[in-house]
């Protein structure tokens, strides 16, 4: 009941603790009405100031001036009703009202200037400096585009006063002035203290982070742009008072080619379409939406469903039309009010922007993938590298070029064959006698379809196409080609799963399996021939090859380095097809051996080694260097899988020399990637990084669209992390996750994002890590991911939010996790862990009743799945938090938690794994010492601290760090509490010397500093 002034004041206090939003604003309005009948001006003043704050931080700028006008009347009639702080706020909030009036186009410009004149008069009468007044004139000038430079000079040259905007906000305005002048680099330099959070306030750095996004992109500072988007957006999403900033994040998504992320932001901020209390900020939000939608429509996504104003289903096209109409109306209203075109001109400049990057900036987030609509087909890439093979217009020339590059193993040949097949299908190409028999072209196209189907994981269909090609070759009397295709089909049948992103027999790339993916030996189950049948078929293929060699011995020389066999070079073709048969034999043996790892049979090992040895020996005899490299790569791969990194490294370095000798550098892409992976396992991350970079560059250079870029970027991320390059690790892991998303490999992408979050957190970017984790556990993402992976992400997210001191959101994540794992009968210890961490986090959020429930749940879970260290830590934390929130009144409760911790320790059997009695019991004594010291029970506290020291002593060298800390606490109690400075100094002298001896320099420095302070106080 609000029937007394005291009740209203108490209600105001409670409302002030609520987060800004509709409920707080409505309550503030009700409290103003409740305060007025009591004829207590001081209560009304407090209520009006609370109401103004609610309006200011929820974007209700239309209403704020009315509340302030009532406040000014009280200031003039009853100044004694204002406390010193409230009196200061009267002058401070003149600035709020000025900006509110600028926000509303119905307010005449003369009224705005008149208000600033009144502000100037009142400031002069109160003997306040004029800098804040000049600042308001500058903001109006920037809005209208009139007299900007003069207004800037008058503001920027005046000294700051205690009524000036805080330094963080003023820095934002100075930086934006430079951005408007086209000086992005200078603006970012000005912004540095805000963007690094050296200077901050309730509105910063999130307002500056939004405004700095495009300058960062334009100056190529992509890592910073990514980080400020991740952290800044979290602080403004869903906030009506920050809708301009939300619009800037939408604009950033469009111009960094992250339209999918933009659509998700749009969906998260749907209520902002109805937040019209600040029309100018609303116009900025709508313009950001328009930039995003225009980008989508330009890319052909006119009918894509998007989130718009509630109550209607929207597409990109219909929402764009609606938004454009509303934004046009608002910009015209401001231009009419201002008598200038400044507002519409700024809007037009934003709408004329084009994407600042060629490819999407990897953000590390899971977002809806919005692909540009192209005229390409499923088999033809939408874009082609500048260095790619030329595709002749003439069909005959196109096929000849495809054949030539196929014989070379050039990865770009796949694109040429795709184009040839497309032209045959649409009638713009036709067979010509100059291409040889029509059956030959049909056989070649069947082979190429087989490669494509294999890459698409359509195993049975790909094998059928290879068998069709073999039959066509046989009809033409091309026995070697037919045998090669049949053997390749057998090799693919030996593959239990799709483990390669290329032709494993060397047709299009003639390289070994892409072991960088580590995907071999994961099964499909396709009804293929069993291993025995495959082996029998392979053996038969080898016999047929020997028969063919006997019937028609190879003649002529093999192609020299850099040369290739043309369709007319029959001898050279036979050599290449013969080695391809041997390659397929190795591939089949390799698959059988991989399936049996880690303990393969002797027969599988022998079969593989014999096949690999034969391929290498024959390739050396016939001087075909790339097949020598292939044989080495197979051997290296198996060596790496079996833990023999040294042999793998040796073989791969030799393979790269063989590739160099072949004159066909594109064949080195996969050996480079595998060597990089091997070197990572050998703890050589610097060279691994270099090799993996080379593999990526060469894949792009030679148009190798089937190289596994996603896992290679993942390894690059790991390598960069190992060498301490956090920025590089973030870039590469983000790129890898985005590529896995596009490939539909969502679990792999989410797993990489977990790793990315870990890298970010360890690099001091916890807020960035939290943003990444939120994208994993979002409802849309989590529904399609492995439940346990999402649970891990949620656990990491909850801990990250707690680290950011966002205790209530952290608690909510822990509670969601607890609900998920409640049915996991195989993870009882996890339930103990989650219950304990939930309890502690709820206590940190000052939700003690819920914390107590979780606490008892953790104790009950511990009885089923013991985790004594965890439970004791929880109890010690409850003791700490009880004293923090309740002070000395919480002493008995805090000590009771520590008694329970002692009970947990006493019940642990001797020799329990992962439980160090000296440490755990010492931690309880340490916490009890601090609790007693806070209650000023200094003798008892000192005894507990010394007990902790004695227990840590039992830990030997492992106990040195906690021992030094316990000695510090003992000295603090002895000196500050008991004023026994000589004893404390002696204790600290011994402790610092011991810390130095244990190479704990920082601990020694802290102990020495405390000793020196006590020496000064004693003297």
């Amino acid at each position: 009941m609000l029937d007394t002034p005291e009740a209203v004041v108490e209600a105001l206090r409670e409302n002030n603790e609520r987060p800004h939003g509709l409920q707080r604003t409505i309550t503030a309005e009700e409290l103003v009405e409740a305060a007025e009948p009591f004829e207590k001006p001081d209560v009304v003043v407090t209520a009006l100031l609370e109401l103004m704050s609610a309006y200011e931080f929820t974007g209700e700028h239309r209403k704020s001036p009315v509340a302030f006008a009532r406040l000014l009347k009280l200031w003039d009639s009853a100044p004694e009703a204002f406390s010193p702080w409230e009196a200061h706020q009267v002058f401070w909030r003149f600035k709020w009202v000025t900006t509110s009036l600028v926000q509303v186009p119905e307010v005449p410009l003369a009224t705005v200037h008149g208000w600033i004149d009144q502000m100037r008069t009142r400031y002069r009468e109160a003997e306040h400096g004029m800098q804040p007044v000049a600042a308001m004139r500058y903001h109006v000038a920037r809005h209208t585009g009139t007299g900007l430079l003069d207004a800037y000079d008058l503001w920027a040259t005046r000294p700051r006063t205690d009524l000036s905007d805080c330094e963080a906000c003023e820095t934002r305005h100075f930086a934006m002035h430079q951005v408007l002048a086209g000086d992005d680099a200078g603006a970012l330099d000005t912004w540095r203290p805000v963007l690094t959070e050296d200077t901050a306030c309730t509105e910063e750095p999130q307002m500056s982070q939004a405004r700095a996004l495009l300058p960062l992109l334009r100056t190529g500072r992509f890592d910073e742009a990514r980080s400020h988007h991740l952290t800044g957006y979290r602080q403004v999403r869903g906030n009506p008072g920050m809708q301009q900033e939300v619009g800037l994040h939408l604009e950033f998504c469009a111009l960094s080619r992250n339209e999918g992320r933009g659509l998700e932001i749009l969906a998260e901020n749907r209520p902002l379409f109805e937040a019209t209390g600040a029309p100018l900020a609303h116009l900025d939000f709508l313009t950001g939406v328009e930039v995003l939608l225009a980008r989508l429509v330009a890319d052909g996504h006119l009918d894509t469903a998007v989130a718009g104003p509630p109550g209607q289903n929207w597409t990109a096209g219909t929402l764009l039309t609606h938004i454009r109409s509303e934004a046009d109306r608002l910009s015209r209203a401001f231009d009419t009010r201002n008598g200038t075109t400044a507002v519409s001109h700024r809007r037009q400049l934003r709408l004329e922007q084009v994407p600042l990057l060629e490819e999407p900036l990897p953000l590390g987030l899971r977002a809806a993938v919005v692909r540009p609509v192209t005229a390409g087909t499923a088999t033809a890439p939408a874009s082609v590298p500048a260095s790619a093979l030329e595709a002749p217009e003439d069909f005959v020339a196109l096929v000849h070029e495809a054949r030539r590059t196929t014989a070379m193993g050039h990865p770009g040949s796949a694109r040429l064959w795709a184009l040839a097949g497309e032209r045959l299908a649409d009638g713009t190409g036709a067979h010509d006698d100059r291409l040889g028999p029509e059956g030959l072209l049909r056989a070649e196209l069947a082979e190429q379809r087989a490669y494509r189907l294999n890459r698409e994981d359509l195993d049975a269909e790909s094998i059928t196409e290879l068998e069709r090609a073999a039959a066509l070759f046989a009809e033409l009397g091309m026995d070697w080609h037919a045998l090669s295709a049949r053997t390749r089909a057998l090799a693919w049948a030996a593959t239990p799963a799709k483990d390669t992103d290329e032709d494993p027999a060397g047709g299009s790339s003639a390289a070994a399996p892409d072991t960088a993916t580590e995907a071999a030996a994961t099964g499909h189950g396709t009804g293929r021939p069993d291993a025995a049948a495959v082996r029998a078929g392979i053996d038969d293929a080898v016999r047929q090859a020997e028969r063919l060699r006997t019937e028609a011995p190879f003649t002529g020389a093999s192609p020299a380095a850099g040369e290739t066999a043309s369709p007319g070079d029959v001898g050279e073709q036979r050599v290449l097809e013969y080695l391809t048969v041997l390659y397929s034999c190795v591939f089949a043996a390799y698959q059988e051996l991989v399936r049996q790892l880690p303990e393969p049979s002797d027969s599988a090992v022998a079969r593989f080694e014999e096949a690999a040895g034969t391929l290498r020996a024959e390739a050396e005899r016939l001087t075909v260097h790339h097949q020598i490299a292939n044989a080495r790569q197979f051997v290296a791969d198996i060596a790496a899988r079996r833990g023999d990194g040294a042999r793998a490294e040796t073989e791969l370095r030799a393979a790269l020399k063989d590739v160099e000798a072949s004159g066909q550098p594109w064949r080195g892409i996969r050996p480079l990637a595998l060597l990089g992976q091997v070197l990572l396992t050998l703890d050589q991350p610097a060279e691994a990084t270099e090799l993996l970079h080379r593999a990526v560059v060469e894949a792009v250079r030679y148009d190798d669209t089937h190289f596994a870029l996603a896992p290679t970027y993942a390894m690059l991320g790991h390598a960069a992390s190992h060498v301490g390059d956090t920025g590089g690790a973030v870039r590469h892991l983000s790129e890898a996750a985005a590529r896995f998303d596009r490939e539909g490999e969502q679990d792999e992408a989410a797993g990489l994002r977990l790793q990315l979050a870990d890298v970010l957190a360890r690099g001091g970017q916890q807020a960035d890590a939290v943003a990444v984790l939120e994208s994993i556990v979002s409802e849309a993402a989590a529904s399609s991911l492995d439940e346990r992976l999402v649970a891990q992400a949620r656990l990491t997210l909850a801990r990250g939010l707690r680290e950011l001191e966002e205790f209530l959101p952290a608690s909510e994540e822990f509670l969601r996790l607890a609900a998920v794992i409640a049915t996991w009968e195989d993870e009882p210890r996890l339930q103990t862990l989650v219950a304990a961490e939930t309890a502690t986090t709820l206590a940190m959020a000052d939700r003690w009743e819920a914390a107590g429930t979780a606490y008892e749940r953790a104790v009950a879970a511990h009885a089923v799945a013991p985790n004594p260290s965890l439970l004791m830590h929880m109890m010690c934390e409850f003791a700490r938090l009880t004293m923090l929130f309740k002070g000395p009144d919480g002493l008995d409760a805090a000590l009771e938690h520590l008694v329970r911790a002692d009970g947990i320790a006493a019940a642990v059997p001797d020799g329990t794994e992962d439980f160090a009695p000296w440490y755990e019991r010492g931690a309880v004594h340490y916490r009890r010492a601090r609790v007693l010291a806070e209650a000023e029970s200094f003798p008892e506290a000192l005894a507990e601290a010394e007990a902790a020291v004695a227990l840590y002593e039992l830990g030997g060298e492992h106990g040195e760090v906690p021992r030094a800390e316990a000695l510090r606490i003992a000295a603090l109690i002895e000196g500050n509490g008991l004023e026994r400075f000589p004893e404390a100094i002696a204790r600290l002298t011994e402790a610092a010397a011991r810390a130095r001896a244990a190479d704990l320099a920082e601990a020694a420095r802290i102990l020495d500093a405390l000793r020196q302070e006590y020496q000064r106080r004693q003297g």
Side-chain angles (χ1 to χ4, degrees):
M1 292 289 293
L2 301 176
D3 52 0
T4 66
E6 292 76 16
V8 173
V9 170
E10 180 59 29
L12 284 167
R13 185 178 296 108
E14 291 178 2
N15 198 45
N16 188 56
E17 294 176 356
R18 292 191 177 100
H20 285 291
L22 181 60
Q23 184 57 52
R24 177 168 173 174
T25 301
I26 292 173
T27 302
E29 291 173 336
E30 294 172 346
L31 291 174
V32 169
E33 293 180 9
E36 288 177 334
F38 297 117
E39 298 184 0
K40 294 276 291 184
D42 56 332
V43 178
V44 178
V45 166
T46 303
L48 284 169
L49 286 169
E50 164 63 19
L51 180 59
M52 281 195 72
S53 294
Y55 287 153
E56 177 72 15
F57 292 105
T58 54
E60 290 288 352
H61 290 279
R62 292 181 184 275
K63 299 179 180 180
S64 189
V66 177
F68 190 64
R70 296 170 66 183
L71 192 69
L72 273 185
K73 286 183 180 179
L74 287 169
W75 174 253
D76 291 335
S77 62
E80 70 282 356
F82 290 73
S83 70
W85 180 85
E86 289 170 335
H88 181 82
Q89 286 298 303
V90 170
F91 292 96
W92 182 270
R93 296 191 187 194
F94 264 101
K95 298 181 296 179
W96 286 14
V97 175
T98 302
T99 55
S100 292
L101 294 173
V102 171
Q103 282 277 344
V104 183
E106 293 85 359
V107 175
L109 201 58
T111 300
V112 178
H113 287 302
W115 186 261
I116 297 176
D117 289 341
Q118 183 183 167
M119 177 183 174
R120 181 173 182 275
T121 299
R122 287 184 179 264
Y123 271 47
R124 180 185 294 114
E125 290 174 351
E127 297 183 350
H128 291 305
M130 291 294 110
Q131 195 259 14
V133 178
M136 291 301 103
R137 294 199 188 282
Y138 167 74
H139 296 324
V140 173
R142 191 170 74 182
H143 171 66
T144 62
T146 303
L148 179 62
L149 294 180
D150 288 343
Y152 177 80
D153 287 342
L154 287 172
W155 165 50
T157 57
R158 290 180 182 269
R160 285 175 50 78
T161 75
D162 62 346
L163 287 168
S164 297
D165 284 346
C166 75
E167 290 190 29
C169 289
E170 282 211 338
T171 297
R172 177 180 75 249
H173 295 313
F174 284 129
M176 282 305 300
H177 185 80
Q178 291 173 282
V179 170
L180 292 173
D183 184 9
D184 286 338
L188 292 171
D189 188 55
T190 298
W191 250 320
R192 184 179 295 113
V194 177
L195 296 179
T196 57
E197 299 189 45
D198 291 336
T199 302
C201 67
T202 57
E203 296 179 332
E204 290 293 353
Q206 57 266 33
M207 293 182 76
S208 289
Q209 286 174 318
R211 287 159 177 75
L213 291 172
L214 294 188
L216 287 166
L217 282 185
R218 288 193 292 258
T219 54
R221 292 163 64 170
F222 303 135
D223 290 348
E224 293 169 80
R226 176 195 302 108
S227 178
H228 291 310
H229 170 65
L230 294 180
T231 58
Y233 173 67
R234 289 189 69 249
Q235 299 302 314
V236 303
R237 63 183 172 195
N239 184 348
M242 290 281 180
Q243 56 179 316
Q244 178 181 1
E245 286 68 31
V246 173
L248 291 170
H249 282 280
L250 288 168
E251 180 180 64
F252 164 79
C253 289
L255 300 182
S256 66
R257 295 190 180 274
N258 281 284
E259 295 90 343
R261 166 69 168 165
L263 290 180
E264 292 188 348
I265 290 176
L266 201 59
E268 289 180 333
N269 293 275
R270 201 171 187 184
L272 296 188
F273 286 104
E274 298 178 319
T276 58
L280 185 59
H282 193 58
L283 174 60
D284 283 326
F285 166 68
L286 295 178
T287 303
V289 176
E290 190 175 353
V291 171
L292 173 67
L293 296 174
R295 184 80 262 132
L296 287 168
V297 169
D299 283 343
H301 297 284
L302 185 74
D303 297 322
T304 296
V306 300
Q312 181 176 337
N313 293 326
W314 300 91
T315 66
T318 58
L319 183 58
L320 177 60
T321 300
H322 173 79
I323 292 302
R324 186 167 284 161
S325 173
E326 178 65 11
D328 282 345
R329 182 190 67 77
L330 280 172
S331 61
R332 284 195 301 270
F334 279 110
D335 285 349
T336 300
R337 189 272 299 272
N338 298 336
T340 69
T341 60
V343 172
S344 59
H345 178 65
R346 283 196 294 271
R347 174 168 173 262
Q348 190 59 38
L349 289 178
R350 289 178 69 184
L351 296 175
E352 289 173 354
Q353 296 174 106
V354 296
L356 298 169
L357 303 174
E358 290 297 322
E359 297 292 335
L361 174 67
L363 299 176
L365 304 175
R366 182 204 179 273
V369 179
V370 178
R371 302 174 185 275
V373 176
T374 71
T377 67
T379 56
S383 61
V384 178
S387 58
L389 299 171
E390 285 191 23
E393 289 293 326
D394 178 71
F395 183 74
V396 172
L398 174 63
V399 174
H400 279 311
E401 181 65 2
R403 287 172 173 170
R404 183 185 72 84
T405 53
T406 297
M408 295 167 60
H410 195 295
S413 63
R415 182 172 53 85
L416 300 181
W417 280 117
L419 183 57
E422 182 182 319
R423 291 187 59 183
L424 275 177
D426 65 17
T428 59
H431 180 264
D432 188 288
D433 288 343
R434 288 174 292 172
L435 296 175
E438 184 176 356
L440 174 60
L441 181 57
R442 287 165 50 208
E444 291 166 322
L445 289 172
E447 274 191 312
Q448 295 300 319
R449 284 194 298 274
Y451 301 147
R452 176 174 59 80
L453 291 166
N454 179 262
R455 288 189 293 268
E456 294 172 1
D457 215 8
L458 299 172
D459 307 319
E461 294 90 336
S462 65
I463 291 172
T464 298
E465 286 296 327
L466 268 183
E467 291 170 344
R468 179 178 293 118
L472 288 167
F473 283 131
E475 289 176 8
L476 295 168
M478 301 175 68
D479 294 337
W480 276 113
H481 288 75
L483 178 60
S484 173
R486 285 196 300 273
T487 314
R488 204 154 44 235
L490 283 167
W492 288 3
T495 311
K498 180 179 182 293
D499 78 309
T500 176
D501 61 358
E502 73 238 49
D503 170 16
S508 65
S509 65
D514 184 6
T515 51
T517 66
E518 293 193 349
T522 57
H524 290 277
T526 59
R528 297 170 171 187
D530 61 23
V534 170
R535 283 196 298 270
I538 289 290
D539 291 342
D540 183 61
V542 172
R543 287 192 293 271
Q544 291 185 55
E546 290 303 316
R547 177 179 59 78
L548 289 174
R549 285 181 59 201
T550 302
E551 292 174 357
F554 298 142
T555 59
S558 300
E563 297 179 355
T564 181
S566 70
D569 299 328
V570 178
E572 287 83 349
Q573 286 184 49
R574 289 174 176 175
V575 167
L576 293 178
E577 297 302 331
Y578 165 60
L579 292 175
T580 298
V581 170
L582 297 183
Y583 178 102
S584 296
C585 295
V586 182
F587 185 81
Y590 162 85
Q591 291 297 336
E592 182 177 1
L593 178 53
V594 166
R595 281 197 300 275
Q596 296 182 21
L597 289 175
E599 297 182 3
S601 65
D602 291 342
S603 61
V605 173
R607 189 177 182 87
F608 169 75
E609 290 179 348
E610 180 183 1
T614 300
L615 173 61
R616 177 175 168 181
E618 288 296 278
E620 288 175 341
R621 181 176 68 83
L622 295 166
T623 324
V624 181
H625 294 285
H626 75 268
Q627 288 288 17
I628 303 172
N630 286 338
R632 291 185 185 278
Q633 189 180 349
F634 273 120
V635 171
D637 178 271
I638 293 298
R641 290 173 184 269
R642 301 186 74 182
D644 189 352
R647 185 183 183 191
E649 178 185 1
T650 299
E651 292 288 349
L652 286 167
R653 292 192 188 279
L656 287 169
K657 291 181 179 178
D658 291 323
V659 169
E660 184 179 356
S662 76
Q664 298 169 354
W666 48 85
R667 296 187 185 273
I669 296 171
R670 285 154 182 79
L672 280 170
L674 181 54
L675 180 56
Q677 182 182 3
V678 168
L679 292 179
L680 267 180
T681 67
L682 296 175
D683 197 25
Q684 299 179 47
E687 187 180 359
T689 301
E690 178 187 346
L691 293 169
L692 293 166
H693 268 299
R694 281 178 57 193
V696 169
V697 169
E698 296 291 270
V700 174
R701 176 183 178 186
Y702 293 115
D703 193 19
D704 191 347
T705 57
H706 307 306
F707 176 65
L709 280 170
T712 306
Y713 274 112
M715 286 190 293
L716 263 173
H718 299 319
S721 178
H722 282 303
V723 297
D725 179 9
T726 299
V730 170
R731 286 193 297 276
H732 300 318
L733 290 173
S734 299
E735 178 70 27
R739 288 180 177 274
F740 275 124
D741 274 338
R742 293 196 288 272
E743 294 168 10
E745 302 289 349
Q746 296 178 350
D747 283 344
E748 285 79 358
L752 280 170
R753 290 192 172 98
L754 272 172
Q755 298 171 37
L756 170 60
D758 179 63
V759 169
L760 287 166
R762 285 189 285 109
Q765 297 173 257
Q766 186 64 261
D768 299 50
V770 162
V772 171
L773 292 164
E774 285 177 334
S775 78
I776 299 176
V777 304
S778 67
E779 184 176 350
S783 62
S784 60
L785 295 175
D786 177 78
E787 183 181 57
R788 299 196 177 227
L789 190 152
V790 175
Q792 179 60 57
R794 201 175 294 283
L795 175 62
T796 310
L797 171 59
R799 289 169 169 170
L801 288 167
R802 187 173 61 200
E803 185 73 19
L804 293 175
E805 299 185 0
E806 297 181 30
F807 299 126
L808 197 55
S811 301
E812 291 168 353
E813 291 298 334
F814 276 124
L815 289 169
R816 292 188 187 101
L817 178 59
V820 170
I821 67 171
T823 60
W824 293 5
E825 296 180 358
D826 61 329
E827 293 282 4
R829 281 176 61 88
L830 181 58
Q831 296 184 29
T832 307
L833 179 147
V834 172
E837 295 211 37
T838 303
T840 302
T841 310
L842 282 165
M844 290 175 172
D846 199 16
R847 298 293 194 272
W848 286 95
E849 183 175 353
T853 301
Y855 183 105
E856 296 304 332
R857 189 183 303 120
V859 172
H862 169 72
V864 176
N867 193 333
S869 298
L870 179 72
L871 261 289
M872 292 175 68
H873 175 74
M874 177 191 75
M875 291 164 176
C876 287
E877 274 294 277
F878 262 72
R880 179 183 72 84
L881 293 167
T882 298
M883 296 301 293
L884 177 66
F885 282 97
K886 301 178 182 179
D889 291 342
L891 177 61
D892 290 343
L895 291 175
E896 176 57 28
H897 289 303
L898 297 173
V899 168
R900 295 184 74 172
D902 283 332
I904 294 286
V908 178
D910 292 340
T912 297
E913 188 177 0
D914 296 329
F915 185 83
W918 63 267
Y919 178 80
E920 305 297 350
R921 291 172 53 216
V924 177
H925 283 290
Y926 170 82
R927 179 52 56 195
R928 188 177 285 113
R930 299 201 63 165
V931 165
L932 289 166
E934 289 176 46
E936 299 187 359
S937 297
F938 298 119
E940 297 90 339
L942 181 59
E944 289 293 328
E946 289 176 333
V949 171
L951 282 163
Y952 289 143
E953 184 77 35
L954 300 177
E957 62 180 14
H958 301 295
E960 289 295 341
V961 171
R963 181 182 182 279
E965 168 60 12
L967 280 165
R968 183 184 73 87
I969 291 299
L972 283 169
I973 295 168
E974 205 162 31
N976 293 348
L978 300 173
E979 297 186 351
R980 288 162 31 184
F981 293 114
E983 292 87 343
I985 291 169
R987 189 188 300 273
L988 289 165
T989 301
E990 181 274 332
R994 181 159 172 168
R996 278 189 289 272
D999 200 24
L1000 301 175
E1002 180 62 14
R1005 185 191 65 76
I1006 292 170
L1007 294 165
D1008 279 334
L1010 181 58
R1011 175 180 56 79
Q1012 291 164 10
E1013 179 189 340
Y1014 281 171
Q1015 286 174 333
R1016 285 193 298 271
R1017 290 168 65 179
Q1018 186 184 30

